[in-house]
Amino acid sequence: SDALRFTVTQRGDPPAFCHLNTLTCWGEPRGLRHLEQTLSDRLQSAPEGSYTKRLFDDPELLRDKLVEEAQELSEANDKVHVAEELADVLYFAMTKAIKAGISIDDAVAELDRRTRKVTRRKGDSKAFRIAAGNEILNKD
């Protein structure tokens, strides 16, 4: 029952720790890592007319889509619909993060930092944020 565990934050272009000079020795990344890699590539070389490029170039559109998809996630009721809306939120959130130079590892480090906090906020929603979101959703 002995084991060694290594946690590695990969750096470089491309970020690689494996002997194959890839993110992992076990094939292409999947899930969020694949999304992160794809968005990073698109930030550097998305063709004109690409939706992702449009999001990178239009902060207001990206903000609006984040709010819209978060609202749709909050209203989803069944497992399939929740999964679909969560996937949308993750796509737009990762697009925002990549544009800002933030990686999944950065977000995980922040989550880990928060688990070590001794005191916590009450956790109530922020009325001004809810009002701003409603304004965005109803702007048409």
Side-chain angles (χ1 to χ4, degrees), residues 6-139:
F6 294 92
T7 303
V8 178
T9 299
Q10 300 182 37
R11 304 280 185 224
D13 188 22
F17 182 72
C18 159
H19 70 289
L20 300 173
N21 200 35
T22 58
L23 188 65
T24 174
C25 300
W26 294 279
E28 290 296 316
R30 298 175 53 211
L32 288 177
R33 290 288 181 189
H34 180 258
L35 177 61
E36 179 181 45
Q37 185 176 46
T38 299
L39 290 171
S40 294
D41 292 345
R42 293 288 196 289
L43 182 61
Q44 301 304 319
S45 62
E48 283 299 324
S50 132
Y51 184 62
T52 301
K53 178 166 180 39
R54 188 172 159 216
L55 291 168
F56 284 140
D57 293 344
D58 187 343
E60 185 176 342
L61 174 62
L62 180 53
R63 181 203 62 206
D64 290 355
K65 291 302 295 183
L66 269 167
V67 170
E68 173 190 326
E69 297 301 338
Q71 178 71 26
E72 290 175 4
L73 175 60
S74 75
E75 294 170 354
N77 291 316
D78 64 77
K79 282 180 79 169
V80 170
H81 193 204
V82 169
E84 292 167 347
E85 297 305 334
L86 176 59
D88 289 342
V89 168
L90 290 171
Y91 166 74
F92 291 107
M94 282 301 304
T95 301
K96 173 77 173 182
I98 294 300
K99 177 68 176 177
I102 302 299
S103 70
I104 291 171
D105 291 335
D106 296 327
V108 168
E110 178 60 20
L111 287 170
D112 289 345
R113 185 190 66 77
R114 290 178 183 187
T115 63
R116 293 187 299 269
K117 282 180 82 170
V118 176
T119 58
R120 304 220 185 308
R121 295 184 304 139
K122 201 165 127 183
D124 294 337
S125 63
K126 298 174 182 171
F128 75 97
R129 290 285 182 206
I130 300 301
N134 286 334
E135 189 175 313
I136 290 167
L137 290 167
N138 295 319
K139 74 179 181 179

